[in-house]
Amino acid sequence: MSGSLSPRHLLSLAELSPATFESLLDAAERLRGPRGREPLLAGRRFGMVFFNASLRTRTAFEVASFDLGAHAVYLQVGGGLWSLEHRSGVVMDGAHAEHVKEGFGVLSRMLDAVGVRAFASLTDADEDARDAVIRSIAAASTVPVLNLESAMDHPHQGLADALTVRRELGGERVKVVVHWAPHVKPLPLAVPHAALLGFAHAGHDVVVAHPEGFDLEPGTLASARALAEARGGTVSVTHDRAEALHGARVVYAKAWGTRSLYGQPEAATAAVRAHPEWTVDGKAMAATDEAIFLHCLPVRRGVVVADEVLDGPQSRVLDQAENRLHVQKATLCHAMGVEP
Ligand code: CP
């Protein structure tokens, strides 16, 4: 409902200052306790527009809103919400009934902030690389837009990832591996990008390990390098899995597809199935320095990670998921200008 000319969007961790990143993690720690059940956002309204499915993100925002006294409105595109067009200058004679300019213009009159989940199309590489859907929505909205996972980023996941490592390893600078994993279908780059940016913000030595051909987006890698160097950390990329795992204190597994096979679903699927030896199993974890295991979830057992790891003592995936709730309370307060 704000008429602010500069809403506090949270679209990518690459756009957060180091001070804001740290203050969000600190706020999440405060909100983990009784402060997180105080009516800090009483009377505020938060909208959640989902173009895609969710378990954690939606639940965490609904619970966060409830705990802080705000009201959350859930809107699912294709499930009760008009189908939305985001491109400029198109003749809307197809499936889309409403443009984001009107849709989010209206939501801005009724809400104090709005979250948007809009995954990558995996068909149009340029549009995905520009994060066109969420960027067009942010341009149309006069209230803060929170990215609940877009084509290129998932900042709330990256914040929770960094918080999990901070809690587990006490803020120590450590070797963190963002570890590519096989899958049954190609997946977007949003989560590995967010994990990379979150760990870079935290000043770790981040190693992105993947088979040849699965490069992350060069601009995100460059942003992560700059963030890490500012904190005394590093970012490197390797195709040598053994080298990556040696000395690692954190193994963050995630499947993602190859950008070179955009719009070629059969070839892209074959590519992500072609490296089963990259599944994270007990042998891989034994090669580390007693690393903790992280994954954003949902995860396919036996494909991305072996049961022995997911069910074993090194797994922290449930703590990591719980941290979504605490960081999302922090970002809600931040978006609405409330000091938690
Ligand atoms: N990790 C994550 O964002 O989970 P959901 O897709 O269930 O929201």
Side-chain angles (χ1 to χ4, degrees):
M1 295 194 298
S2 155
S4 166
L5 293 175
S6 303
R8 263 183 184 184
H9 298 321
L10 174 50
L11 303 183
S12 169
L13 295 184
E15 297 166 1
L16 275 192
S17 70
T20 303
F21 178 84
E22 286 298 323
S23 76
L24 285 171
L25 295 193
D26 292 344
E29 281 297 354
R30 290 195 297 280
L31 291 163
R32 180 185 299 276
R35 183 78 170 149
R37 301 269 183 125
E38 292 179 17
L40 302 173
L41 301 180
R44 307 296 181 100
R45 302 153 182 172
F46 180 57
M48 301 179 290
V49 177
F50 280 83
F51 288 76
N52 314 95
S54 168
L55 186 151
R56 280 143 289 272
T57 306
R58 176 184 173 183
T59 306
F61 268 120
E62 290 210 15
V63 172
S65 299
F66 175 82
D67 282 356
L68 296 172
H71 180 69
V73 180
Y74 173 68
L75 298 162
Q76 186 188 8
V77 178
L81 184 66
W82 299 113
S83 175
L84 293 167
E85 174 62 68
H86 69 275
R87 296 167 296 171
S88 289
V90 296
V91 176
M92 289 174 54
D93 58 357
H96 301 310
E98 180 153 37
H99 201 280
V100 297
K101 289 182 182 178
E102 287 75 51
F104 283 80
V106 170
L107 291 178
S108 295
R109 302 289 182 97
M110 300 180 180
L111 300 167
D112 296 292
V114 62
V116 177
R117 166 163 286 194
F119 288 173
S121 68
L122 297 183
T123 57
D124 185 330
D126 289 340
E127 184 164 279
D128 284 350
R130 286 187 287 109
D131 236 345
V133 176
I134 200 155
R135 296 280 166 187
S136 60
I137 288 170
S141 176
T142 58
V143 296
V145 173
L146 304 186
N147 182 346
L148 313 188
E149 187 173 344
S150 64
M152 284 291 135
D153 220 312
H154 194 0
H156 293 87
Q157 186 64 57
L159 283 163
D161 300 339
L163 182 63
T164 306
V165 172
R166 185 164 104 169
R167 289 180 65 77
E168 283 291 329
L169 303 176
E172 187 188 345
R173 173 183 166 189
V174 296
K175 182 177 182 182
V176 177
V177 183
V178 177
H179 184 295
W180 183 90
H183 208 268
V184 298
K185 60 182 180 181
L187 296 183
L189 301 172
V191 168
H193 281 172
L196 167 62
L197 290 166
F199 296 137
H201 255 298
H204 293 302
D205 294 315
V206 192
V207 179
V208 182
H210 58 77
E212 286 190 34
F214 288 88
D215 306 64
L216 298 181
E217 205 270 322
T220 304
L221 275 168
S223 296
R225 283 200 173 96
L227 288 168
E229 282 167 16
R231 294 288 306 272
T234 58
V235 170
S236 60
V237 179
T238 182
H239 307 313
D240 185 336
R241 187 173 179 238
E243 174 195 300
L245 292 170
H246 181 71
R249 300 290 307 282
V250 179
V251 174
Y252 190 107
K254 185 69 184 79
W256 67 86
T258 169
R259 292 185 298 129
S260 65
L261 295 174
Y262 250 73
Q264 302 174 59
E266 287 180 12
T269 298
V272 295
R273 289 170 176 256
H275 304 281
E277 72 278 12
W278 280 73
T279 298
V280 178
D281 57 13
K283 192 173 165 202
M285 293 302 292
T288 68
D289 183 11
E290 298 182 344
I292 59 169
F293 175 81
L294 300 180
H295 187 282
C296 64
L297 305 179
V299 68
R300 288 184 182 246
R301 287 174 173 258
V303 178
V304 171
V305 55
D307 285 354
E308 64 192 358
V309 175
L310 205 52
D311 297 331
Q314 289 166 277
S315 177
R316 297 292 184 277
V317 296
L318 298 184
D319 297 319
Q320 183 186 4
E322 181 197 321
N323 284 331
R324 295 290 305 277
L325 173 62
H326 309 307
V327 301
Q328 288 173 210
K329 285 182 179 177
T331 62
L332 272 182
C333 289
H334 177 74
M336 296 187 189
V338 170
E339 181 62 36

